[in-house]
Amino acid sequence: MANEYPTTPDGRYFVVRGRLWRKSNPALSDTERQSHVNALMDARRAVGVALRAHDKDAEAAARAHVDRAKHALGERGDVWWDDGAPDLNRHMARNTPYADWFAALDRPQDGPATPA
């Protein structure tokens, strides 16, 4: 993903279509991170199965598993940094302290941005 989407200078977010998305906690070991990613992918597959089966209970359970995996990765819930900076997850980059950095990116019209 690092080559596809720009990452904020502090490494906390990547940007897709102008929106900030919190990155996984870099303090996780590779083994721990991969375990959580595997759980996330399993949960996402379960969401798809439940949707195709029109099973609302299974869908709710699978979405709860997705949420737990995202929390474990540090992409949701309490932030993984400790400098008191606010969580700007899902904010438009242009409306955040990253606005100048984002404006300076050389972006194709509809493709991923790259640092200028």
Side-chain angles (χ1 to χ4, degrees):
M1 181 176 4
N3 295 330
E4 296 178 31
Y5 301 105
T7 298
T8 57
D10 57 15
R12 293 176 180 165
Y13 304 94
F14 63 95
V15 182
V16 178
R17 295 186 188 136
R19 191 171 303 277
L20 299 172
W21 295 94
R22 194 185 326 161
K23 294 185 73 171
S24 297
N25 183 346
L28 295 174
S29 71
D30 289 342
T31 303
E32 187 177 13
R33 185 191 61 76
Q34 191 59 56
S35 174
H36 296 314
V37 167
N38 292 347
L40 175 61
M41 295 300 102
D42 289 346
R44 285 181 170 164
R45 280 189 290 277
V47 169
V49 168
L51 286 171
R52 287 187 295 280
H54 304 288
D55 185 337
K56 296 291 184 190
D57 291 335
E59 180 187 349
R63 289 189 187 281
H65 287 295
V66 168
D67 191 56
R68 281 193 294 279
K70 297 285 247 169
H71 275 80
L73 285 164
E75 296 173 11
R76 292 187 184 158
D78 294 335
V79 297
W80 42 261
W81 52 88
D82 59 6
D83 63 1
D87 184 12
L88 301 172
N89 195 35
R90 300 184 184 182
H91 285 70
M92 296 303 291
R94 69 176 180 262
N95 298 327
T96 71
Y98 299 105
D100 290 341
W101 165 81
F102 183 66
L105 293 177
D106 179 28
R107 298 186 310 275
Q109 189 65 10
D110 292 306
T114 55

